[in-house]
Amino acid sequence: PSDPNIVWAGSGEANGRNSSSWGDGVYRSADGGGTWVNRGLRDTHSIARIVIDPGDPNTLYVAAMGHLWGFNKERGVYKTTDGGGTWNKLTRGLPETTGRIGLDVYRARPGTVYAVIESDAGGQSAIGEFRSRAGGVFRSDDSGDTWTRKSDLTPRSFYFSQVRVDPADDKRVYILGFLVHVSDDGGKTLAQLVPS
């Protein structure tokens, strides 16, 4: 947002299916998409989301899904502050084993970051929405250094895992699934949005 010449792209298909295409990490363009350079996370296979700090195009968060059908180290929430020169595996307060991850940053205060995280421990609720013993909705108020779990909701992760923060209210959060859930207390309680 602060420099239209800098464009970031994550490779690999984010929908976890048996026909998903694999990628080889994160790419950066400094000339508006004319040329691209790989900036790391090559073994993640699938980047589900990239969120860029609105004031600094070299600071961004990456939701890395990892190998679909087996273990690998490069999976989880990553952050760089030097344009992809180095990446840090954000873990404090997040599940140890993760699948698909959705991310969003509160634009007015980029230190506030939300994640909705699929984890392999969980169960299915009656309405078909996934509730996890380890995953769910997480919030960080220190730029991803530490996280607090707010809810156990992770709606149909391999299709959705999307979270959005209201640009005018850091406590109003939307979680996307077959239904849209909304929270007015930072993700702690969520209600379904019903079309009128």
Side-chain angles (χ1 to χ4, degrees), residues 6 39 58-59 79 91 109-110 141 148 157 166 176:
I6 297 179
R39 296 301 291 161
N58 291 310
T59 297
K79 180 183 178 183
T91 59
R109 188 177 60 247
D141 287 302
T148 302
S157 300
D166 188 309
L176 308 171

Side-chain angles (χ1 to χ4, degrees), residues 12-191:
E13 185 176 349
N15 294 321
R17 309 303 291 165
N18 59 354
S19 59
S20 295
S21 300
W22 297 343
D24 65 347
V26 179
Y27 286 81
R28 180 182 187 266
S29 172
D31 57 6
T35 58
W36 295 88
V37 176
N38 187 293
R39 296 301 291 161
L41 301 178
R42 287 182 180 266
D43 198 35
T44 57
H45 277 201
S46 298
I47 304 295
R49 180 111 160 105
I50 296 175
V51 180
I52 303 166
D53 185 308
D56 179 6
N58 291 310
T59 297
L60 57 145
Y61 300 86
V62 169
M65 206 158 66
H67 295 192
L68 285 176
W69 314 117
F71 173 80
N72 74 307
K73 286 188 173 184
E74 283 193 350
R75 67 170 64 233
V77 180
Y78 286 86
K79 180 183 178 183
T80 183
T81 57
D82 60 5
T86 57
W87 294 94
N88 299 308
K89 197 163 188 192
L90 303 181
T91 59
R92 292 180 60 196
L94 296 179
E96 186 174 326
T97 303
T98 61
R100 188 165 176 179
I101 300 167
L103 295 172
D104 203 14
V105 170
Y106 180 53
R107 303 288 183 219
R109 188 177 60 247
T112 298
V113 186
Y114 280 92
V116 58
I117 298 179
E118 175 188 23
S119 186
D120 64 353
Q124 198 78 11
S125 76
I127 59 169
E129 298 290 0
F130 194 79
R131 295 199 176 267
S132 173
R133 289 188 292 273
V137 179
F138 294 81
R139 176 178 164 138
S140 172
D141 287 302
D142 55 11
S143 300
D145 289 340
T146 60
W147 298 81
T148 302
R149 187 176 189 227
K150 296 295 186 177
S151 170
D152 63 354
L153 184 70
T154 58
R156 298 294 286 180
S157 300
F158 56 85
Y159 287 126
F160 302 109
S161 281
Q162 298 293 328
V163 59
R164 298 294 182 269
V165 185
D166 188 309
D169 183 357
D170 69 302
K171 299 262 194 288
R172 189 164 178 84
V173 182
Y174 299 89
I175 307 295
L176 308 171
F178 285 118
L179 303 169
V180 177
H181 297 81
V182 64
S183 173
D184 285 313
D185 58 7
K188 186 176 179 183
T189 56
L190 291 140

